[in-house]
């Protein structure tokens, strides 16, 4: 047997065999428009000859994208659902799949969606966006068609999921501020979802390492995700505890916008007196004054990868469930500066 057939063939090997770039080989395999028919046929034939693994096609299939009630309210804060759905649609179009959107506000609506998926042979699987409710998760475990959780996770690990690296992202942003000389770093969040708890944990990991055993003294629990709620929360905190911080890390950009408003109302300057960093990377962050330093969450990419995870699950129904987290990059702008007391 040919030696190449005995070894696992990589995309780079397939591209070299065909005399094309890796991107061309990838587009030919995925059915992306813009690849000549004869070239696509050449790559597909080579993949078969070399035993190159190609995921199951979902062209022509339907994928249900179900958004929870929490996801439906998302427009008030970080607009995650909007951007992730954009990524899902873009990748589905490339793969030739049809997206069917459904809202899920309660168990009855979830049951209806699952029954629809069972009855329609054209439905390949489901993507559930921002679902934390355990009673709802329980209904999807063991379902006969693949279910991928988007911007969430399954504590039992029975369901595959994809989300930002929330804990690592918050820890990295906290470390960044510490390297700028900030030791007393306030953290603002609206608690509840597991993804947000991971961000709190990442900040807490680092703040504890800095010697703050009473981390709760530097935590502000905001009662909503709106800028107005954040403005009020930081003013209330300063009324109780004074200016016991030199920087603020917010679990969402919308909270950072409100924090800046509150600090300015107190006569403080950003970043001269207080540095502020958000998490999301929303486009409007570039237009606030000062432009917001933020941890960019790859929302669109999460949607694109969710479709690929579903396709992989269809290709190997017995594959183990997995939890995927995507890297989040800090984008420096003008709302942070070295600590003046450092």
């Amino acid at each position: 047997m040919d030696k190449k057939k005995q070894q696992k063939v990589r995309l780079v090997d397939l591209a070299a065999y065909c005399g094309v770039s890796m991107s061309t080989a990838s587009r030919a395999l995925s059915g992306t428009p813009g690849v000549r028919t004869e070239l696509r046929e050449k790559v597909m034939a080579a993949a078969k000859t070399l035993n190159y693994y190609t995921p199951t096609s979902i062209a022509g299939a339907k994928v249900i994208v179900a958004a929870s009630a929490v996801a439906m309210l998302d427009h008030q804060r970080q607009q995650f659902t909007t951007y992730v759905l954009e990524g899902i649609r873009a990748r589905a179009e490339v793969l030739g799949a049809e997206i069917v959107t459904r809202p899920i506000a309660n168990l009855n609506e979830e049951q209806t969606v699952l029954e629809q998926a069972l009855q329609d042979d054209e439905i390949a699987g489901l993507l559930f966006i921002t679902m934390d409710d355990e009673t709802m998760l329980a209904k999807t475990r063991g379902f006969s068609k693949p279910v991928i959780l988007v911007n969430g996770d399954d504590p039992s690990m029975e369901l595959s999921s994809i989300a930002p690296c929330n804990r690592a992202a918050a820890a990295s942003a906290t470390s960044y501020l510490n390297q700028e000389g900030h030791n007393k770093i306030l953290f603002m969040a609206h608690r509840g979802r597991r993804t947000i708890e991971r961000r709190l944990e990442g900040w807490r990991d680092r703040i504890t390492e800095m010697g703050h055993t009473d981390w709760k003294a530097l935590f502000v629990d905001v009662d909503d995700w709106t800028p107005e709620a954040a403005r009020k929360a930081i003013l209330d905190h300063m009324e109780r505890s004074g200016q016991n911080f030199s920087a603020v890390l917010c679990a969402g950009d919308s909270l950072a916008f409100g924090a800046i408003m509150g600090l300015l109302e107190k006569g403080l300057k950003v970043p001269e007196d207080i540095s502020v960093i958000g998490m999301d990377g929303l486009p409007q962050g570039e237009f606030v004054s000062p432009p917001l330093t933020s941890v960019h969450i790859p929302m669109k990419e999460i949607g694109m990868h969710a479709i690929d995870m579903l396709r992989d699950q269809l290709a190997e129904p017995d594959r183990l469930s997995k939890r995927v987290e995507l890297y989040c990059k800090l984008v420096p702008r003008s709302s942070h500066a070295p600590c003046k007391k450092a």
Side-chain angles (χ1 to χ4, degrees), residues 46-336:
K48 185 175 181 180
T49 299
L50 299 176
N51 286 341
Y52 178 79
Y53 166 72
T54 54
T56 296
S57 172
I58 59 173
K62 296 178 183 177
V63 175
I64 290 181
V65 178
S68 70
V70 174
M72 296 297 286
L73 293 173
D74 194 72
H75 67 277
Q76 295 180 358
R77 46 187 191 275
Q78 61 183 11
Q79 300 137 47
F80 180 94
T81 306
T82 301
Y83 290 107
V84 77
L85 186 57
E86 181 182 337
I88 289 172
R89 291 191 184 281
R91 186 61 178 154
E93 183 178 356
V94 167
L95 299 176
E98 178 184 346
I99 296 301
V100 180
T101 55
R102 291 286 185 273
I104 294 182
N106 52 54
L107 284 173
N108 288 335
E109 290 183 358
E110 181 188 19
Q111 187 64 42
T112 299
V113 168
L114 293 176
E115 288 174 358
Q116 178 191 358
L118 277 179
Q119 294 167 6
D120 190 342
D121 292 337
E122 293 184 354
I123 294 176
L126 306 94
L127 305 179
F128 278 41
I129 302 179
T130 311
M131 181 181 289
D132 278 329
D133 188 278
E134 176 56 33
T135 55
M136 290 189 177
L137 288 178
K139 281 185 172 292
T140 63
R141 297 187 184 112
F143 191 65
S144 59
K145 293 185 178 182
V147 176
I148 307 295
L149 303 181
V150 184
N151 193 36
D153 60 61
D154 179 10
S156 72
M157 279 300 296
E158 293 180 53
L159 298 169
S160 290
S161 62
I162 182 165
C165 61
N166 291 294
R167 187 168 187 158
S172 177
T174 307
S175 294
Y176 180 85
L177 284 168
N178 188 233
Q179 290 165 8
E180 295 264 283
H182 297 279
N183 180 268
K184 296 181 179 179
I185 303 167
L186 204 69
F187 186 73
M188 300 182 68
H190 176 52
R191 301 185 71 171
R193 295 208 63 243
R194 277 193 294 274
T195 54
I196 302 305
E197 291 302 305
R198 299 298 86 79
R199 295 182 187 185
L200 187 153
E201 290 164 1
W203 163 81
R204 189 179 64 201
D205 290 344
R206 294 294 179 267
I207 208 75
T208 303
E209 291 173 1
M210 296 174 200
H212 297 285
T213 53
D214 183 17
W215 59 268
K216 291 183 179 179
L218 289 169
F219 173 67
V220 177
D221 190 358
V222 189
D223 61 14
D224 200 354
W225 283 103
T226 63
E228 177 55 29
R231 182 194 71 82
K232 182 178 184 302
I234 199 165
L235 288 174
D236 289 347
H237 174 82
M238 294 181 72
E239 184 70 25
R240 294 190 308 269
S241 305
Q243 187 184 328
N244 65 336
F245 56 94
S246 64
V248 185
L249 174 61
C250 298
D253 282 354
S254 59
L255 299 187
F257 301 153
I260 291 174
M261 290 164 50
L263 292 169
L264 295 177
E265 192 172 323
K266 269 289 188 179
L268 297 168
K269 295 180 180 180
V270 177
E272 291 86 351
D273 298 318
I274 304 289
S275 289
V276 178
I277 291 181
M279 294 186 71
D280 288 333
L282 297 180
Q284 53 264 47
E286 298 184 49
F287 300 103
V288 297
S289 181
L292 183 66
T293 296
S294 182
V295 180
H296 173 73
I297 306 298
M299 305 176 199
K300 184 175 180 179
E301 290 83 356
I302 286 171
M304 296 175 71
H305 282 285
I307 286 284
D308 287 337
M309 288 177 67
L310 179 64
R311 183 184 60 174
D312 291 344
Q313 196 74 48
L314 288 165
E316 297 181 60
D318 295 329
R319 69 163 47 204
L320 295 175
S321 299
K322 61 184 177 181
R323 181 177 296 165
V324 175
E325 294 187 346
L326 297 188
Y327 172 69
C328 303
K329 181 181 180 180
L330 189 139
V331 179
R333 294 197 182 101
S334 305
S335 65
H336 78 284

